[in-house]
């Protein structure tokens, strides 16, 4: 259901931009650029849905409602900016790892099949680490913002490992 909602939002966005672009190219480009950020921030408001289903044991509609209640427009905009920074950092890391594998000859033309396989294994491991980092970040953000609505009954001592 979440994917269907995102697909509908994207299709409406694409239709509006297409209609504006066909009416006036400059207006369509400017409006599409601004609307891209608005739609992205709107879709970020759905970000809590899957962690709420997993960690909060909620149903689909309850988790979507929980996500919209806890991710405000301001929080979504801040998360969007953090996502841009995370994307830039991961792109830089990807370029560095790609450069290193090219320097090692793992992706070069004429490289043996074994070297190409090693290069793919390195890329797969790198992508798995980055994906795990982003999923852990979603979970951490879920627990960070879900604590806003609950009273803290535990002291700091309860968080230490004995």
């Amino acid at each position: 259901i979440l994917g269907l909602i995102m697909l509908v939002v994207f299709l409406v966005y694409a239709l509006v931009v297409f209609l504006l672009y066909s009416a006036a190219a400059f207006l369509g480009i400017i409006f599409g650029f601004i609307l891209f950020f608005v739609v992205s921030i709107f879709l970020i408001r759905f970000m809590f849905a899957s962690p709420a289903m997993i960690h909060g044991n909620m149903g689909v509609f309850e988790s979507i409602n929980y996500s919209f209640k806890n991710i405000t427009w301001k929080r979504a905009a801040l998360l969007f900016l953090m996502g841009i920074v995370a994307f830039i950092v991961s792109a830089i890391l990807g370029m560095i790892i790609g450069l290193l594998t090219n320097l090692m000859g793992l992706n070069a033309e004429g490289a043996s099949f074994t070297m190409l396989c090693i290069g793919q294994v390195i890329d797969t491991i790198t992508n798995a680490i980055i994906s795990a980092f982003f999923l852990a970040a979603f979970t951490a953000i879920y627990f960070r913002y879900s604590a806003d609505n609950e009273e803290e009954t535990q002291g700091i001592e309860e968080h230490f490992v004995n």
Side-chain angles (χ1 to χ4, degrees):
I1 290 180
L2 191 60
L4 183 63
I5 292 171
M6 290 183 182
L7 178 67
V8 169
V9 168
F10 175 75
L11 289 176
V12 168
Y13 165 73
L15 180 66
V16 168
V17 170
F18 175 75
L19 291 174
L20 282 173
Y21 186 73
S22 63
F26 179 74
L27 181 65
I29 291 171
I30 297 298
F31 190 72
F33 183 74
I34 294 169
L35 196 60
F36 168 77
F37 293 108
V38 173
V39 169
S40 298
I41 291 170
F42 175 74
L43 291 177
I44 287 174
R45 294 190 70 197
F46 285 104
M47 191 172 75
F48 264 8
S50 49
M53 282 189 273
I54 295 168
H55 299 295
N57 295 325
M58 299 178 191
V60 174
F61 296 110
E62 186 182 7
S63 65
I64 291 172
N65 185 29
Y66 182 80
S67 181
F68 261 61
K69 185 173 65 174
N70 286 303
I71 300 288
T72 61
W73 284 98
K74 181 180 177 182
R75 285 180 177 171
L78 290 173
L79 290 171
F80 181 72
L81 292 175
M82 286 189 258
I84 290 173
V85 171
F87 175 75
I88 291 171
V89 169
S90 64
I92 291 171
L93 287 175
M95 285 188 275
I96 291 171
I97 291 171
L99 179 66
L100 292 176
T101 56
N102 280 335
L103 289 177
M104 292 170 35
L106 298 178
N107 293 331
E109 287 184 24
S112 68
F113 180 72
T114 306
M115 297 304 271
L116 291 174
C117 289
I118 291 171
Q120 288 300 313
V121 167
I122 291 172
D123 289 342
T124 303
I125 291 171
T126 304
N127 289 333
I129 290 171
I130 290 172
S131 298
F133 172 75
F134 281 113
L135 289 174
F138 287 160
T139 300
I141 290 170
Y142 166 77
F143 284 114
R144 160 65 181 96
Y145 289 136
S146 66
D148 284 351
N149 294 334
E150 300 173 3
E151 291 183 7
E152 283 288 321
T153 58
Q154 297 177 339
I156 187 102
E157 306 86 34
E158 299 293 326
H159 296 284
F160 293 132
V161 176
N162 292 327

